[in-house]
C-alpha cells in the first residue's frame, strides 16, 4: 500500500514516465526516507548516551563527596 501510494505520487507529478522507472524512483525515495530515520535515531541515541554518561559522572562525584564527609 505504501509503495502504491508513493508510485501514484510520482506518476501524478508527471516528471517520470514508465511503470518500471516510477517503481525504481519510489523504491529509491523509500530507501532514502529509511536512511534518514535511521540517522535521526542514531543521533538521538548518541545524545541520550552522552547525557546518561554525564549523569553517571555527577552521581559518582556526589557519592565520592559524601564518602569523604563520612571519613
Amino acid at each position: 500500500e505504501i509503495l502504491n501510494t508513493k508510485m501514484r505520487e510520482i506518476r501524478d507529478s508527471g516528471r517520470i514516465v514508465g511503470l518500471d522507472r516510477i517503481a525504481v524512483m519510489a523504491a529509491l525515495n523509500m530507501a532514502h526516507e529509511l536512511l534518514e530515520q535511521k540517522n535521526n535515531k542514531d543521533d538521538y541515541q548518541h545524545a541520550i548516551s552522552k547525557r546518561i554518561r554525564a549523569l553517571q559522572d555527577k552521581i559518582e562525584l556526589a557519592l565520592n563527596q559524601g564518602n569523604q564527609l563520612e571519613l
Side-chain angles (χ1 to χ4, degrees):
E1 186 177 319
I2 295 170
L3 179 60
N4 283 333
T5 301
K6 298 279 184 189
M7 288 179 69
R8 282 189 201 107
E9 290 172 1
I10 293 169
R11 181 197 64 205
D12 293 345
S13 74
R15 291 177 163 180
I16 299 175
V17 179
L19 185 59
D20 56 340
R21 291 179 184 211
I22 291 172
V24 169
M25 185 57 68
L28 289 171
N29 288 342
M30 291 173 68
H32 177 73
E33 290 171 6
L34 286 172
L35 286 173
E36 281 184 333
Q37 288 179 356
K38 181 186 178 301
N39 289 338
N40 289 341
K41 178 184 165 191
D42 291 345
D43 291 344
Y44 179 74
Q45 286 178 335
H46 178 72
I48 293 295
S49 295
K50 188 175 177 180
R51 180 70 177 142
I52 288 172
R53 274 187 254 121
L55 289 171
Q56 287 173 331
D57 291 343
K58 286 181 180 181
I59 290 169
E60 285 185 34
L61 180 63
L63 289 174
N64 288 337
Q65 288 176 349
N67 287 339
Q68 289 176 359
L69 292 176
E70 291 176 7
L71 297 176

